[in-house]
Amino acid sequence: MVVSLGLATAGGALIGLLLAVFGGGGSVLATPLLLYVVGVRDPHVAIGTSAAAVAVNALVGLGAQARAGQVKWPCALVFGGAGLAGALIGAHLAKMIDGEQLILWFAGAMALVGLSMLMPKKDEGDAGVHLTPALTRRLAPLGLGVGLAAGFFGIGGGFLIVPGLMAATGMTLANAAASSLVSVVLFGAATSASYALSGLIDWPVFAALVAGGALGALAGGRVSRMLANRAPIARRAFAVMVLATAAYVAFRSLA
């Protein structure tokens, strides 16, 4: 048990580091890490535990972004509020599916995350965007759909939330990345609450993940400054790692 918690802490540190450096995608590694490194046997427990840890880590990041004034709160709350119902539905559906089948689908979601990280990112947009009735009509359905996917797979969903916010509102990449954390917190909290009610969270492992994530986030600032001139190369390397992990997860599930 001590070894498992130590591995969970180390894994949490790695995920926290990756999230701090790349701003998204790292949380998708939490579930395979719990299954194949820490030794969590039930895929549902791994998903529920990782979702809870992701919600806490995202809340810490949201506090920092809010203090920096990067969060577009009205747009973020409409998107996240609509997605909250979707996350609860998605989590409920996922618990009804066989664990090995769910992990195979999870591998597909991981592959999408990796591919999205290989796509070029553009920061053009309106930094002064304001919520309007027309924007609300675009944000709410998108939020519902993304929340459904995030709840089903037990992931933060940032790789879907950020482009969704940008497409619906025209806000900048920086504002979308910061605002997406509102949804990540809400979706993670809803998903983990659903799993917790079913007794599908390993709380000691959750605590180890959160503690490790805090340590990783502290180191992430220094690492991101070191990689500032090599950010595109580092991001592509990370995307390849996510794709390789997705292939391994699919192989283990099928085997």
Side-chain angles (χ1 to χ4, degrees), residues 129-214:
V129 65
H130 294 289
L131 185 66
T132 64
L135 288 186
T136 300
R137 289 192 293 271
R138 291 202 294 268
L139 282 167
L142 275 173
L144 180 65
V146 172
L148 183 65
F152 186 82
F153 293 111
I155 57 179
F159 76 105
L160 290 172
I161 300 168
V162 171
L165 286 171
M166 293 179 71
T169 68
M171 67 175 65
T172 66
L173 175 61
N175 288 142
S179 301
S180 73
L181 292 174
V182 174
S183 294
V184 174
V185 171
L186 291 174
F187 298 168
T191 302
S192 57
S194 177
Y195 277 82
L197 289 173
S198 300
L200 294 173
I201 291 183
D202 188 321
W203 293 109
V205 170
F206 158 77
L209 278 175
V210 171

Side-chain angles (χ1 to χ4, degrees), residues 38-146:
V38 177
V40 175
R41 295 182 180 276
D42 187 339
H44 291 104
V45 172
I47 289 175
T49 304
S50 65
V54 165
V56 173
N57 288 335
L59 183 61
V60 174
L62 177 60
Q65 294 288 359
R67 289 192 295 272
Q70 293 279 26
V71 181
K72 296 295 183 181
W73 287 102
C75 295
L77 290 172
V78 168
F79 192 98
L84 189 60
L88 289 169
I89 295 170
H92 178 71
L93 292 175
K95 289 186 294 183
M96 299 169 61
I97 295 175
D98 175 74
E100 290 302 322
Q101 184 67 37
L102 181 60
I103 288 301
L104 183 59
W105 291 3
F106 183 88
M110 286 191 71
L112 290 177
V113 173
L115 291 173
S116 73
M117 295 184 70
L118 291 173
M119 298 175 65
K121 298 291 190 295
K122 297 181 180 180
D123 195 35
E124 293 86 354
D126 181 11
V129 65
H130 294 289
L131 185 66
T132 64
L135 288 186
T136 300
R137 289 192 293 271
R138 291 202 294 268
L139 282 167
L142 275 173
L144 180 65
V146 172

